Amino acid sequence: MTGRVRGGKRAARRFCEAKVDLVMTGHIHVPFVWPLSLGDGRTYAVGAGTLSLRERGAPPSFSLIAIGPDEIEVTALAWTGGRFDQWRNWSLERRPR
């Protein structure tokens, strides 16, 4: 969703124009939530993390997503050596319907 990805800016603009809530991404291997700066700021790029043991500044992790009428909750669960525990949490405001 960045300029470093061929067509990324154009794709981000189209997602925002279509009022897409979430764009699920991968490859970075770290859970994240970024509001896209185009449109109304309520289209979010969400990185899922990775279960790989190759750490990139974050433990192996995956994300749970709960979508409600007014907000979206993204919770990253990370491996703590014996189980997955909550590592990060984001509450995202949804646009009015």
Side-chain angles (χ1 to χ4, degrees), residues 10-53:
R10 183 179 55 222
R13 184 173 28 262
R14 288 183 179 173
F15 287 133
C16 292
E17 289 170 356
K19 299 189 184 311
V20 169
D21 289 326
L22 298 179
V23 178
M24 302 300 298
T25 71
H27 190 72
I28 293 178
H29 299 262
V30 176
F32 66 86
V33 172
W34 290 332
L36 300 181
S37 60
L38 306 166
D40 61 8
R42 292 187 184 154
T43 296
Y44 304 92
V46 177
T50 184
L51 295 177
S52 169
L53 296 177

